[in-house]
Amino acid sequence: MTNGFSGVLKLTDLDDFISPGQECVKPVEVRKDDLSKESISKIRIELEEDGTYSQRRDDGKVKVLDKVNITLSDCLACSGCITSAESILISQQGPDELLRILELNRITKESMMGKTENICIVTMGVQSVLSLAHKYRMHPQLAAEHIAGFFVELGADKVTMATIGEDFSLLESQKEFVRTYESNPSSLPLLTGICPGWVCYGEKLHPQSLPFISRVKSPQQIMGSLVKLVYGRELNLTPDQITHITLMSCFDRKLEASRLDFSLPDYRTKDVDHVVTAIELEDLFKRFGKSLPECSPEKLFDLFPGKVGGSEVRSHLGSGSGGYAECIHRAMSEKLFGREPETIAWKQGRNSDIWESVLHDDNGKGVLKFGIATGFRNIQTIVRKVKSKVMTAQLPHYIEIMACPTGCLNGGAQLRAEGELLVSRELAQKLERDYHSLPLAEEIQGVEYLYESIGNEDSDLYQKIFYTNYHPVKKSEGLLGSTVLW
């Protein structure tokens, strides 16, 4: 499973996704009320052969320490390792838990003869759909409908695409960049914050990068808020009456969904309840003895019929990760010079995972620079530069950052066709072509009508749906003095 995470969250020659009993800094609980002040200095903590921890006194008395129940939230708040324990992800965000959720929804509906108001909605990311379509050599729209049929068969009620969330994420990214450019240009560059692997890395190891990261939420998390806070309101349902599942391209999205910032504590629920990946879905096909073409198709569902599309697999201009840099480039060209370019010239930087474009004024002078940076080594370079004002000035004004090399289409949980000889980079290029062959989500302004329902930009609901915050994680000194260093 660990291969599904982005490279940012993995260490060479180390299993970063440690089990709680290995070197987690929160493996056991020592209750201070069990210790007298006189005896504390005379106690040793030892690791036994069976993997348990014992409290051993100088007088020879030994006590086996209780294991602490570790959650994904604990992992995100801890700097002992870069990401979370693999065993925690398996238990809290794995396929078995997905099946349990869907089976419970199905059984509840059957026992109550459909009278329960609770619903289960699945949102699919276009990158995962393309991966599965490529695997089974199906048209993306047809593949999406067969995937939807599989989810419905397992117990889901409705399946939609994440297009609305993508549209809103792009629109809010435009607004945020314009605000920053007009009010505080010296605070640029603005770095996208939609990649959870990159955000987790910044919070745990490079807090100086956090002020530069865009606060706009990812499409997954915007969809979570739209499903539970807007769509649910239209149905007179509270957030805890809606189960929201997403299909995404890498395991890092599981970490993102588990952030406390994306919870609804008043209802004891989260914006996204469970994340499943393409590679896990493929494993479920095998478990049920079928392939994707053998699943009965189901029409995709529009959350807001006739307004914005969720029933079609669509793309956006720019990269296969959502086209953020291209979107901001086009928006600034329109705002500053009243023209939107037909095409944008992207030039490769010092390696194949760095791309840059320049917005020129009417005299040909470069005004703004935009960048796309993917992969860990390029992220490290950016992080080093934002430590220095001189070096920061050398960076593009806006950078689309993704932890996985080449971007989300090359997410760690993507699939490849049987017997295919393409390496991951070549496969990503093939999926990129497939992505740009999709119909364009041409008028992202089609979501404007929803803004009226959500309210003004200063409202709590607006901020909850579209924006988030980041939190530097303090360095932890483990029980055994063990932390992971980079």
Side-chain angles (χ1 to χ4, degrees):
M1 179 185 240
T2 57
N3 289 334
F5 290 89
S6 62
V8 161
L9 298 183
K10 292 185 285 189
L11 295 176
T12 305
D13 299 325
L14 283 177
D15 179 11
D16 183 44
F17 314 99
I18 56 180
S19 64
Q22 185 181 332
E23 279 194 56
C24 179
V25 299
K26 191 183 176 185
V28 293
E29 183 175 15
V30 181
R31 295 184 178 87
K32 291 185 178 181
D33 55 5
D34 290 343
L35 308 174
S36 67
K37 292 182 179 179
E38 292 78 19
S39 64
I40 289 178
S41 61
K42 300 178 182 179
I43 290 177
R44 301 190 308 276
I45 305 297
E46 294 186 355
L47 178 63
E48 306 295 341
E49 292 183 0
D50 62 358
T52 61
Y53 287 87
S54 295
Q55 171 184 300
R56 190 177 301 274
R57 298 173 182 267
D58 283 352
D59 60 9
K61 292 183 179 180
V62 178
K63 179 181 180 180
V64 177
L65 296 173
D66 297 329
K67 288 186 177 181
V68 172
N69 182 33
I70 302 173
T71 67
L72 278 176
S73 296
D74 291 326
C75 291
L76 287 168
C78 165
S79 64
C81 61
I82 304 309
T83 181
S84 67
E86 182 182 32
S87 59
I88 297 169
L89 281 166
I90 291 173
S91 63
Q92 297 182 14
Q93 284 277 357
D96 289 338
E97 177 64 10
L98 171 71
L99 293 178
R100 186 196 68 78
I101 292 171
L102 293 174
E103 178 72 2
L104 178 62
N105 186 65
R106 185 182 63 80
I107 291 176
T108 302
K109 291 285 173 63
E110 291 176 354
S111 63
M112 299 187 68
M113 302 180 67
K115 293 182 181 179
T116 176
E117 294 181 340
N118 292 21
I119 59 173
C120 178
I121 296 175
V122 178
T123 296
M124 301 193 296
V126 62
Q127 293 86 3
S128 297
V129 170
L130 286 174
S131 179
L132 286 156
H134 176 77
K135 162 81 176 183
Y136 289 99
R137 296 178 170 85
M138 300 174 68
H139 186 277
Q141 184 67 34
L142 181 61
E145 293 175 359
H146 279 259
I147 297 168
F150 184 64
F151 277 120
V152 170
E153 179 184 339
L154 293 179
D157 295 306
K158 303 176 186 296
V159 183
T160 188
M161 294 300 297
T163 309
I164 310 171
E166 295 164 357
D167 291 347
F168 270 124
S169 189
L170 289 170
L171 281 170
E172 290 303 316
S173 294
Q174 287 180 16
K175 294 178 181 180
E176 182 187 39
F177 185 82
V178 170
R179 286 196 301 267
T180 306
Y181 177 76
E182 292 180 340
S183 64
N184 189 18
S186 62
S187 67
L188 297 173
L190 194 60
L191 315 175
T192 56
I194 67 163
C195 173
W198 143 238
V199 169
C200 188
Y201 172 66
E203 287 185 321
K204 292 193 172 189
L205 293 177
H206 298 284
Q208 77 281 353
S209 66
L210 300 185
F212 296 94
I213 302 180
S214 164
R215 292 181 52 244
V216 177
K217 288 164 60 174
S218 72
Q220 170 178 279
Q221 296 308 136
I222 289 178
M223 283 300 297
S225 295
L226 289 176
V227 166
K228 295 207 172 186
L229 300 177
V230 181
Y231 179 70
R233 186 176 60 185
E234 291 190 358
L235 299 183
N236 293 318
L237 297 178
T238 56
D240 56 324
Q241 291 180 289
I242 304 174
T243 300
H244 185 217
I245 297 167
T246 63
L247 172 63
M248 293 290 151
S249 61
C250 75
F251 287 99
D252 295 358
R253 294 293 171 195
K254 297 174 185 282
L255 291 174
E256 180 179 38
S258 301
R259 291 177 66 90
L260 293 178
D261 301 81
F262 301 141
S263 64
L264 298 164
D266 290 346
Y267 298 95
R268 302 182 67 181
T269 188
K270 297 180 292 185
D271 296 339
V272 177
D273 297 287
H274 193 90
V275 179
V276 64
T277 64
I279 200 169
E280 290 174 313
L281 206 61
E282 170 69 5
D283 287 341
L284 287 178
F285 292 153
K286 294 177 181 178
R287 187 183 302 190
F288 286 90
K290 61 173 61 180
S291 64
L292 180 59
E294 294 172 330
C295 300
S296 300
E298 183 83 16
K299 291 294 183 182
L300 299 180
F301 172 71
D302 268 329
L303 286 178
F304 307 100
K307 303 295 192 303
V308 285
S311 61
E312 294 184 6
V313 183
R314 292 182 175 271
S315 66
H316 291 88
L317 292 172
S319 74
S321 300
Y324 286 81
E326 176 129 354
C327 179
I328 305 302
H329 185 136
R330 291 178 176 276
M332 293 307 295
S333 179
E334 176 70 28
K335 181 171 184 61
L336 296 178
F337 308 114
R339 50 178 165 80
E340 182 176 336
E342 292 185 9
T343 60
I344 294 177
W346 289 95
K347 295 183 179 180
Q348 182 177 316
R350 61 183 175 277
N351 61 62
S352 58
D353 290 328
I354 288 281
W355 295 86
E356 295 182 349
S357 67
V358 178
L359 174 59
H360 297 92
D361 63 17
D362 295 332
N363 298 317
K365 180 183 177 181
V367 176
L368 289 172
K369 184 185 291 185
F370 304 88
I372 300 173
T374 64
F376 179 42
R377 59 177 176 172
N378 292 321
I379 289 178
Q380 284 183 311
T381 299
I382 292 170
V383 167
R384 284 196 296 268
K385 288 187 175 182
V386 296
K387 292 180 180 180
S388 162
K389 288 185 177 181
V390 175
M391 298 292 284
T392 299
Q394 300 175 9
L395 292 170
H397 298 88
Y398 184 90
I399 308 176
E400 176 183 315
I401 295 181
M402 303 293 157
C404 294
T406 75
C408 295
L409 287 169
N410 191 34
Q414 297 285 71
L415 296 164
R416 62 180 67 249
E418 294 291 342
E420 191 167 50
L421 299 178
L422 293 177
V423 298
S424 60
R425 188 173 295 276
E426 292 172 334
L427 178 57
Q429 292 171 349
K430 170 64 170 60
L431 293 181
E432 188 90 23
R433 293 192 293 272
D434 292 345
Y435 177 77
H436 290 296
S437 70
L438 296 172
L440 271 177
E442 296 179 2
E443 291 295 332
I444 62 175
Q445 301 299 326
V447 300
E448 287 288 352
Y449 91 100
L450 278 174
Y451 278 124
E452 297 179 7
S453 174
I454 294 169
N456 64 63
E457 295 185 7
D458 296 326
S459 70
D460 291 341
L461 180 61
Y462 192 102
Q463 292 296 315
K464 172 65 178 174
I465 292 175
F466 299 126
Y467 290 88
T468 187
N469 292 297
Y470 307 109
H471 317 282
V473 178
K474 294 181 179 179
K475 286 293 182 182
S476 302
E477 285 300 328
L479 189 61
L480 303 179
S482 172
T483 56
V484 175
L485 300 178
W486 282 59

